[in-house]
Amino acid sequence: MPIRILRARLLAACLLLAAPLHAQSADSAAARRARECPSCAEWNAPHAPFRVFGNTYDVGTAGLSAILVTSPQGHVLIDGGLPESAPLIAANMRAAGFRVEDVRLILNSHAHHDHAGGIAELQRMSKARVAASPASARVISTGVAGPDDPQHKLALPYPAAANVETLHDGDTVRVGPVALVAHFTGGHTPGGTTWSWRSCEGARCADLVYADSFTPVSDDDFRFTSNAGYPRVLDDFAHGFALLEALPCDLLLTPHPGASQLWERLARRDSGDAGALLAPGQCAAYAAVGRGMVAARLKNEQGGR
């Protein structure tokens, strides 16, 4: 048999063997990701972007919010979803009529992989500044949750962002006419942050609040009743609940849309109820749910007494 034919057959055989191995490797990676984060695929399902109110848009996925506050001088993005969410968020910005390259500042609610995992890639795409609370900035800068995080042993690592700036509680951050206020609301994580701003549609303006998660979720070793690694956890929860009850709040958004019934409210708006997203008392109701969850967790830790 001529050498050239033998080489061709050997090459074909190698390609036939390589394809299943490659597929097996991809399948293994997907299976490993599913084991590590069983909710990630559902959270990262695509969702069309939409205008929330005025110059505020949701450009996130079906299960993870990414909030874009826009201006002619540039935009602010709050949260970056999972690492694999970044291209979906950028595509949603384009579909909404904006460019990721015009994002000037990226902010964060809390520094878990499902809300901060895509920040590094979105920073690379946009060249935007990244800013967060000191505790969150440390995590976003390394991609690894610290031992003071209630979910430390469960938290997945993610790509680290560069040059993360630190904020103070109550700081106002600005891009052009856009101004957002940082409210530190820890508990779920030490660096959790709630954001508030005003958006207007014509002469009508509304106070918008992107309230951080307030769920007392933890790994098996963390106790909210007494924890040396995060001794202020209950004080931080109490501070956050009181803040939400007092904060001007016409429209509530949350890192997981389902936590504030966003899709149900949006469906009502799309069906003709123009004010479905705007309603007084949303933030106070959200705080009440959080208080109940924390109380139930403390009761469980104390043996149901």
Side-chain angles (χ1 to χ4, degrees):
M1 180 182 297
I3 294 296
R4 65 178 183 277
I5 296 176
L6 179 60
R7 286 176 176 169
R9 290 184 177 179
L10 286 172
L11 177 60
C14 288
L15 290 173
L16 287 172
L17 287 171
L21 288 173
H22 176 75
Q24 182 179 5
S25 175
D27 289 345
S28 297
R32 183 171 63 254
R33 181 64 168 161
R35 288 194 303 271
E36 291 175 342
C37 182
S39 298
C40 279
E42 180 181 357
W43 287 342
N44 205 48
H47 191 282
F50 64 95
R51 185 196 297 266
V52 176
F53 187 85
N55 64 334
T56 298
Y57 296 76
D58 189 316
V59 293
T61 63
L64 301 169
S65 297
I67 305 302
L68 188 70
V69 189
T70 65
S71 83
Q73 288 76 36
H75 318 314
V76 178
L77 177 68
I78 314 176
D79 280 350
L82 295 157
E84 56 265 41
S85 302
L88 297 177
I89 292 170
N92 273 352
M93 287 187 207
R94 289 192 293 272
F98 304 100
R99 302 189 324 140
V100 67
E101 294 85 357
D102 293 328
V103 174
R104 299 287 180 260
L105 179 63
I106 300 174
L107 306 173
N108 176 243
S109 57
H110 65 270
H112 282 159
H113 73 286
D114 48 342
H115 308 292
I119 287 179
E121 177 61 13
L122 289 161
Q123 179 189 46
R124 187 195 66 77
M125 292 179 181
S126 64
K127 306 299 188 290
R129 297 160 48 215
V130 176
S133 68
S136 290
R138 286 193 294 272
V139 179
I140 295 170
S141 296
T142 62
V144 180
D148 54 353
D149 189 322
Q151 298 182 51
H152 171 61
K153 295 181 179 179
L154 301 174
L156 298 178
Y158 53 85
N163 304 315
V164 182
E165 303 171 20
T166 57
L167 301 169
H168 297 93
D169 191 13
D171 276 355
T172 298
V173 296
R174 301 179 185 275
V175 171
V178 172
L180 298 94
V181 181
H183 309 275
F184 290 179
T185 49
H188 186 72
T189 68
T193 305
T194 288
W195 294 94
S196 65
W197 66 99
R198 277 177 79 74
S199 284
C200 299
E201 290 186 353
R204 185 183 189 186
C205 296
D207 290 301
L208 276 63
V209 174
Y210 187 58
D212 191 26
S213 299
F214 284 94
T215 52
V217 181
S218 74
D219 58 47
D220 290 342
D221 294 333
F222 190 94
R223 290 179 64 83
F224 289 89
T225 45
S226 177
N227 192 277
Y230 186 6
R232 287 189 50 82
V233 61
L234 294 180
D235 291 337
D236 283 354
F237 268 128
H239 167 76
F241 297 145
L243 174 86
L244 280 186
E245 291 166 345
L247 204 59
C249 177
D250 299 314
L251 197 160
L252 172 67
L253 299 166
T254 49
H256 289 279
S260 49
Q261 295 79 51
L262 179 61
W263 302 136
E264 294 85 352
R265 292 155 57 207
L266 183 64
R268 294 201 305 272
R269 188 181 75 172
D270 291 347
S271 297
D273 182 358
L277 293 183
L278 295 166
Q282 295 177 64
C283 285
Y286 184 63
V289 171
R291 282 185 190 276
M293 288 190 288
V294 171
R297 173 61 187 258
L298 298 182
K299 184 176 180 180
N300 179 265
E301 287 188 7
Q302 293 163 354
R305 296 191 300 274

